Amino acid sequence: MPATISTAPGKTILFGEHAVVYGQPAIAIPVNERRAKVKIFPVIGVFSEKIQFIAPQIQLDKEYKELIPSHPFKIAMDEVKKYLNIPQYPSCKIFLSSTIPISSGLGSSAAISVALIKGLFEFIGFQPTKSILSQLAYQIEIEFHGHPSGIDNSVIAFNQPILFQKKKDIELIEPGEEFVIVIADSGIIGNTKIAVAGVRERWLKNRIGYEAYFNKIGELVIQAKKEIELGNHSEVGRLMNSNQEFLQRIGVSHPSLENLIKIAIKNGALGSKLSGGGLGGNIIALTRLEKADYLSQELLKNGAAQTIIMTLKKEIENE
Ligand code: PMV
């Protein structure tokens, strides 16, 4: 049984958050500049199932059998066991680490789940399909997030830009050109559950108005997919600005996000919007490679807690 190393990227939502909850399409992209990593080492000569989880970043050093039933690592282990129909795992030590900031809308939980599930399959000697990876990781997302749309596990398992729509097969997107994006953290902790619940409350009071916003967002998402495939930077930027206007109207923006978006546009971004749940969390700004460092510095000088410069490549990343 050889040792295995598996990784999975972070993610950010480029278009369509919130409206996706109401059945509209959304576009998410992998953030390969930040990754979750899982290393599995066999423990030779221990025949009973003895599995140690070691994740120093969350102060975890525990045996599999000691984990509570709702623990994400336990769910991952049990899901893979059930799927592969194996009675027990060979004894092993599992080391987990991540460079993806936690609770920041960058998909940290889905990334660790995908990396762990992939690692377990490979440790047992199987290669999971991306679709199975995504499906099993979704079971863990449910435990973490209640009723997530499933966009995080999908984009992270496929490690490719996707058009995601509930109850439909995901569509892979191939960018016609490279896109450089600065992700800036407002430093205000966003809470996706609260943001989603707020939108729901307002939608219940004004269904016609909100559904019109969601439809408009859906239309611009479809347009954005085409423009990404054509490599049309300025049009993608314009659509980001337009998506942000609707996010403002549905009440999920925040003064700290508005400030960063203003700074991004002032410093030459082609478009900028909040990304994810909102009410805090991150903004994303589309820029040109040669301007990315400068834009990142300006955002940091003007209130961003941290930034990530990411490139959306034309080809699929090798893992
Ligand atoms: O905050 P994030 O990046 O996890 O994104 C939430 C996206 C929503 O559309 C607001 C909710 C969802 O489940 O899709």
Side-chain angles (χ1 to χ4, degrees):
M1 194 96 2
T4 63
I5 298 183
S6 52
T7 69
K11 76 97 203 0
T12 192
I13 297 181
L14 206 50
F15 290 99
E17 49 277 268
H18 287 287
V20 71
V21 175
Y22 298 81
Q24 297 294 334
I27 295 174
I29 57 174
V31 178
N32 275 285
E33 287 73 4
R34 297 287 183 278
R35 300 186 76 85
K37 191 175 187 181
V38 172
K39 296 189 216 170
I40 308 182
F41 295 97
V43 175
I44 312 294
V46 181
F47 297 105
S48 62
E49 188 185 52
K50 191 168 180 340
I51 294 151
Q52 196 71 20
F53 278 99
I54 301 146
Q57 284 166 308
I58 52 165
Q59 291 88 40
L60 181 92
D61 188 344
K62 244 187 187 165
E63 230 197 281
Y64 166 45
K65 292 195 174 110
E66 294 166 6
L67 297 176
I68 54 166
S70 61
H71 195 287
F73 300 164
K74 177 154 170 50
I75 302 173
M77 298 287 287
D78 294 347
E79 287 291 329
V80 174
K81 208 185 229 182
K82 200 164 66 186
Y83 185 81
L84 293 176
N85 195 18
I86 49 169
Q88 66 170 49
Y89 286 102
S91 293
C92 58
K93 283 191 178 179
I94 304 181
F95 293 86
L96 306 101
S97 61
S98 176
T99 55
I100 307 168
I102 294 173
S103 300
S104 65
L106 289 174
S108 60
S109 63
I112 204 79
S113 302
V114 168
L116 176 56
I117 293 166
K118 204 183 330 168
L120 290 169
F121 266 84
E122 286 167 4
F123 186 59
I124 303 296
F126 289 91
Q127 199 59 46
T129 63
K130 292 180 175 179
S131 160
I132 288 299
L133 261 183
S134 173
Q135 232 169 287
L136 298 183
Y138 184 64
Q139 299 309 314
I140 305 161
E141 286 292 284
I142 292 174
E143 191 62 41
F144 263 96
H145 300 298
H147 295 284
S149 58
I151 196 168
D152 281 24
N153 48 288
S154 302
V155 65
I156 289 169
F158 281 84
N159 195 5
Q160 200 179 336
I162 59 165
L163 182 112
F164 177 91
Q165 194 164 9
K166 274 184 177 176
K167 299 190 184 138
K168 288 205 178 159
D169 287 341
I170 63 160
E171 286 178 39
L172 300 177
I173 302 176
E174 290 198 21
E177 290 291 336
E178 275 191 5
F179 286 85
V180 177
I181 291 165
V182 181
I183 303 173
D185 179 358
S186 65
I188 310 285
I189 310 246
N191 183 323
T192 297
K193 252 188 194 170
I194 292 178
V196 169
V199 173
R200 191 178 156 74
E201 214 172 276
R202 294 187 288 278
W203 167 72
L204 285 171
K205 285 190 194 138
N206 175 13
R207 281 196 189 217
I208 293 173
Y210 270 65
E211 264 150 40
Y213 292 146
F214 298 148
N215 286 335
K216 289 270 182 222
I217 293 174
E219 279 166 25
L220 73 81
V221 170
I222 299 296
Q223 187 60 28
K225 176 178 181 273
K226 286 190 200 138
E227 302 300 346
I228 293 168
E229 285 169 342
L230 289 170
N232 193 345
H233 293 92
S234 55
E235 199 51 23
V236 172
R238 191 189 67 75
L239 289 164
M240 286 168 75
N241 293 338
S242 164
N243 195 164
Q244 174 60 23
E245 278 177 31
F246 289 111
L247 288 164
Q248 252 175 356
R249 287 190 210 173
I250 64 170
V252 293
S253 200
H254 184 278
S256 68
L257 299 170
E258 296 296 328
N259 173 51
L260 292 177
I261 290 167
K262 207 173 73 199
I263 300 294
I265 300 292
K266 196 173 131 203
N267 286 284
L270 299 165
S272 184
K273 62 182 274 295
L274 70 85
S275 174
L279 300 180
N282 292 317
I283 64 121
I284 51 175
L286 180 65
T287 184
R288 304 268 180 199
L289 182 59
E290 62 278 11
K291 291 187 178 164
D293 271 326
Y294 174 76
L295 176 55
S296 162
Q297 288 310 319
E298 287 303 308
L299 288 163
L300 286 168
K301 265 195 252 163
N302 288 280
Q306 48 187 327
T307 58
I308 299 170
I309 300 175
M310 64 157 291
T311 307
L312 185 58
K313 300 236 168 77
K314 280 172 78 172
E315 75 282 5
I316 304 169
E317 295 271 337
N318 284 322
E319 286 147 62

